[in-house]
Amino acid sequence: MPNYHVTLQAAYIVRNVDDVEDAINIAISQIGKTLNKAGMNYVDIDVGLTVCPKCGELIDCVLVVARTALVGVLLSMKVFNAENQEHAIRIAKATIGKVLKDIPLEPVEVVEI
C-alpha cells in the first residue's frame, strides 16, 4: 500500500485582531497548541496563499473586517498505507478533524511518496 503526503486547507476565524500579521500569528499559534495537545505535532501548519486579483501576485490568504479575521491555513501530514488518494484524504480529514472540530477542511494536494 502506498504512502501519501496530504495537504488540506482550513478556514480559521480569529477575533480581536489588529492587522493581518496579528491574525496569522494568532491562528497558527492556536492551531499549533490544539494539535500539540492532542499529540499531533507531525501536522505541518502554513498560511495559505491566494492570487491578488489586481496585481496577480501571491498574497497571504487573510481577510480582516471589524477586528475579525478569516485566515486560510494549510495543514499537511503524511498518511501511511492508504489504499488510494481518496482513502488518504479521508484518513487525513478524520485525523485532523477529530482535533479541529467545526473547522471546514478541504483537500488541496495529495502526493504519493
Side-chain angles (χ1 to χ4, degrees):
M1 291 188 155
N3 302 322
Y4 295 92
H5 187 263
V6 180
T7 303
L8 304 173
Q9 66 180 351
Y12 195 77
I13 298 173
V14 182
R15 301 190 192 312
N16 298 321
V17 296
D18 294 323
D19 56 21
V20 170
E21 289 300 317
D22 193 25
I24 291 170
N25 292 337
I26 292 170
I28 290 176
S29 175
Q30 288 178 349
I31 291 172
K33 285 179 187 175
T34 304
L35 291 172
N36 286 338
K37 264 188 210 175
M40 296 177 61
N41 55 355
Y42 52 85
V43 177
D44 294 327
I45 308 166
D46 282 315
V47 175
L49 297 174
T50 190
V51 177
C52 174
K54 201 165 197 174
C55 67
E57 294 200 22
L58 290 176
I59 58 173
D60 292 331
C61 191
V62 180
L63 174 65
V64 179
V65 177
R67 294 183 46 100
T68 303
L70 179 63
V71 182
V73 180
L74 296 176
L75 305 167
S76 57
M77 64 178 281
K78 292 179 183 172
V79 176
F80 300 100
N81 299 322
E83 294 173 6
N84 53 39
Q85 288 187 350
E86 291 78 24
H87 186 227
I89 291 169
R90 286 195 311 272
I91 291 169
K93 285 176 82 170
T95 303
I96 295 172
K98 284 181 191 175
V99 177
L100 300 177
K101 294 178 171 82
D102 299 325
I103 296 177
L105 300 170
E106 289 295 322
V108 174
E109 182 179 53
V110 182
V111 178
E112 188 172 340
I113 53 175

